[in-house]
Amino acid sequence: MADDKLEMIELTESQKKARRSRSIAIGLALGALVVIFYVATFIKFAHSMPNGSM
Amino acid sequence: MALVDDTSLKDGALRMSEATAGDYFALLKPRVMSLVVFTAFVGLVAAPVSINPMLAVVAILAIAIGAGASGALNMWYDADIDAVMTRTATRPIPSGRVAPGEALVFGLVLSALSVMTLGVLVNWLSAALLAFTIFFYAVVYTMWLKRWTPQNIVIGGAAGAIPPVIGWAAVTGNVSLESVILFLIIFLWTPPHFWALALFKSQDYERAGIPMMPNVAGEASTRRQIFAYAVILAPVGVLPWVLGYTSVGYGAVATLLGAGFLWYSWKVLVMPQDDRAMRPAKALFGYSLLYLFGIFAAYLADCVVERVLAIGGA
């Protein structure tokens, strides 16, 4: 890289706050999705298994 | 080396978003979503067979997110007219908090996610109905009917009326007369509800260039049509009792609520031409929300009581 110093964009406080809010929401949504798919898959498998095999 | 040129930032070519999670949630039209969740839940509970409670939660969640996604797509497409209407000017896109492209991607991703989740975890009929609902609301109503014909909310109302059918289909895997009657109640309720709003917000719609009934056919014609829909809606609301699958309790509540709807619609019909405050139209708009909630709550209560009595008698 030719230049010595890499200039970065400085986020304002409101931008940082908004990004944090979005990050938390995305994290919670993805976590909820994982739990929902895990539990629902377990339920569906439990229903489709013959008696006693699960 | 600068990653981003300063002039680009000044020109607004690269925009650092200040949208919060709350702004994205507002794109989902939470108030509309709550009505969708409630009516879908009634359809789900009213079904004659049971479903695993966890799968019921998944179904309701997927229907809610699908409805929200169609709301986001609606806000993306209608940002231009939302900006000139007082009722909608503070929405996330016209107020500049969310970029249109962000709303579009958000709506598309949630649409796909909700339909696939419902299909994979519940059943594909309900998923197909949800996909149809999203398409009908976002494309047929928003992109086509809304700016083209005063019958926009009559035909487009089908999208808002399908959720109880999806709830029913999520449990039973089919569509039956009972769920179609729930569909009809919302479908027939939609025109008087929105035309009451359009009567006292006609200047807003005029400014935005939306051909709502009062702006196209006139206030007198709209008032007659509101009353005509009320005359059809009131007996359809009682049909579940007439057809014998709900109790007389539901029949009594539906009859009273229907009579109230007719009364408020009558007051709109005979409203003086020079009444610019339009209190009867505002009263009908408020009552119509109470009517829909009341009739679905009565239906839900009837189903629950019947189940409890059946368990007690077994």
Side-chain angles (χ1 to χ4, degrees):
Chain A
M1 195 174 293
D3 294 340
D4 294 339
K5 194 176 171 189
L6 187 67
E7 291 180 29
M8 304 294 286
I9 297 168
E10 278 289 325
L11 296 183
T12 63
E13 276 310 306
S14 61
Q15 285 168 341
K16 283 179 186 170
K17 198 176 163 190
R19 185 175 64 176
R20 182 174 161 75
S21 150
R22 294 196 302 270
S23 301
I24 291 171
I26 290 169
L28 289 174
L30 287 176
L33 204 61
V34 169
V35 172
I36 285 170
F37 268 82
Y38 183 85
V39 176
T41 305
F42 186 80
I43 291 167
K44 286 184 83 74
F45 270 107
H47 277 294
S48 61
M49 290 285 178
N51 285 343
S53 59
M54 205 169 161
Chain B
M1 181 188 136
L3 284 181
V4 178
D5 188 79
D6 280 347
T7 53
S8 299
L9 277 173
K10 281 170 192 159
D11 292 338
L14 183 73
R15 178 180 164 278
M16 301 308 293
S17 178
E18 290 188 17
T20 62
D23 292 323
Y24 280 94
F25 185 66
L27 283 176
L28 303 178
K29 295 192 175 181
R31 281 199 298 182
V32 176
M33 202 161 70
S34 63
L35 200 62
V36 167
V37 165
F38 180 55
T39 57
F41 179 71
V42 173
L44 192 136
V45 173
V49 288
S50 61
I51 182 174
N52 182 289
M54 180 63 196
L55 293 182
V57 171
V58 170
I60 293 295
L61 202 60
I63 294 167
I65 291 172
S70 64
L73 294 172
N74 168 275
M75 284 204 205
W76 161 71
Y77 192 81
D78 276 351
D80 57 337
I81 54 180
D82 281 350
V84 295
M85 291 174 68
T86 54
R87 191 171 63 87
T88 53
T90 57
R91 283 178 173 176
I93 302 175
S95 64
R97 300 196 304 279
V98 175
E102 293 167 350
L104 173 63
V105 172
F106 184 62
L108 289 174
V109 168
L110 288 190
S111 298
L113 186 73
S114 59
V115 171
M116 294 306 290
T117 302
L118 198 58
V120 170
L121 297 182
V122 183
N123 66 48
W124 286 103
L125 175 65
S126 55
L129 286 168
L130 181 63
F132 175 77
T133 306
I134 296 169
F135 174 79
F136 200 83
Y137 186 72
V139 178
V140 177
Y141 169 70
T142 303
M143 297 181 188
W144 179 34
L145 297 170
K146 186 171 179 178
R147 302 175 192 227
W148 176 62
T149 168
Q151 296 294 329
N152 46 18
I153 49 100
V154 177
I155 308 164
I162 296 179
V165 184
I166 304 175
W168 181 283
V171 182
T172 63
N174 62 47
V175 174
S176 69
L177 178 67
E178 294 95 323
S179 61
V180 170
I181 288 173
L182 290 176
F183 167 89
L184 277 178
I185 291 171
I186 306 177
F187 184 72
L188 293 167
W189 165 90
T190 306
H193 170 74
F194 278 106
W195 286 338
L197 174 74
L199 276 174
F200 61 87
K201 288 281 184 186
S202 62
Q203 288 179 338
D204 251 12
Y205 286 112
E206 184 81 52
R207 202 162 46 242
I210 303 172
M212 290 301 279
M213 194 59 79
N215 307 93
V216 177
E219 288 180 4
S221 170
T222 305
R223 297 201 310 256
R224 283 196 297 274
Q225 292 187 65
I226 284 175
F227 189 70
Y229 271 95
V231 168
I232 304 168
L233 172 64
V236 169
V238 187
L239 266 185
W241 171 60
V242 174
L243 293 176
Y245 58 85
T246 58
S247 72
V248 68
Y250 168 84
V253 173
T255 304
L256 284 173
L257 285 168
F261 206 102
L262 274 170
W263 169 252
Y264 279 100
S265 301
W266 171 257
K267 298 292 277 182
V268 171
L269 182 66
V270 298
M271 182 170 69
Q273 285 279 8
D274 57 351
D275 180 2
R276 300 327 293 165
M278 294 200 181
R279 270 190 285 274
K282 289 172 184 168
L284 174 62
F285 180 73
Y287 180 78
S288 64
L289 288 167
L290 180 73
Y291 172 86
L292 196 68
F293 176 78
I295 208 155
F296 272 80
Y299 197 96
L300 179 66
D302 196 81
C303 294
V304 171
V305 169
E306 191 188 341
R307 295 273 167 82
V308 171
L309 290 177
I311 292 167

